[in-house]
Amino acid sequence: MVDMHCHLDLYEDPFAIAKETVARGVGILSVTTTPKAWAGTKKLEQGLENSIYTALGLHPQLAAQRFDELGLFDAILPTTPFVGEIGLDGGKGFKNSMDIQLKVFRHILSNVHSSGGRVMSIHSRYATEQVLDELKGIDGAPILHWFTGSKRQLRRAIDLGCWFSVGPNMISSKGGAELVRYIPLNRILLETDGPFCKIDGEILMPWDCKKTIDGMIDLLGKSKPDISQLVSDNFTHLKKLVV
Ligand code: MN
């Protein structure tokens, strides 16, 4: 199985974490927050190429400061099937940069579309509706990471072909768990959002994406091995769409 949204480069000793994660039988979609972080983060794949995948990103919370890195983004895009973290953030402190966030997001989506689509890990905090508006008609496989929209928006996202990466915190919240019940089984993936995400004050490690499975057993009415198989098969299927 694969942690589909992890900021591997932001852990204290990312090389060691990468190795330990793979030794525990878990892969990582290693998302980046700026194009400048790409080269260094890509190096963390070394020797672990079939388990660690690096995604090219420009985080919406950094769009205002880093939009001048879009040229670098465009230059790297042809070399990778994975894009993220990208998206929009309409939360406090970020909604006043929405114009520039939209410019950045549209630029990226239009390049992704014209170059045949990508697997994309997408942030949509307090901006679900706008993110879905922008994804309409874009080629590729969008994954909504830590989806927090309404049930109606979830249905809209499913119709648009979105996938969903679910973390331990989403599954342990009442609202999050309720949404997970409505995600089609063939669109569910795991994530941690580490090292930003914590449980009981402890930073989540990439292999903690397995904790999501424990929360899914009752919710989906499936056994632990069946869910592990399901999310692994989903990743294999997703990868085939773009690689
Ligand atoms: Mn993130």
Side-chain angles (χ1 to χ4, degrees), residues 21 52 66 108 118 121 123 139 162 169 171 193 216:
T21 305
I52 310 279
R66 302 300 192 104
I108 291 172
R118 294 289 186 276
S121 186
H123 176 111
D139 255 4
C162 291
N169 281 331
I171 205 88
D193 205 10
M216 284 178 174

Side-chain angles (χ1 to χ4, degrees), residues 5-7 31 33 59 85 123 145 193-194 196:
H5 187 102
C6 177
H7 299 268
V31 296
T33 53
H59 198 289
E85 182 166 359
H123 176 111
H145 120 77
D193 205 10
F196 290 121

Side-chain angles (χ1 to χ4, degrees), residues 101-122:
Q101 288 186 47
L102 264 172
K103 265 185 209 158
V104 168
F105 193 42
R106 283 177 181 161
H107 176 98
I108 291 172
L109 291 179
S110 126
N111 277 3
V112 161
H113 183 71
S114 61
S115 54
R118 294 289 186 276
V119 166
M120 297 170 271
S121 186
I122 299 175

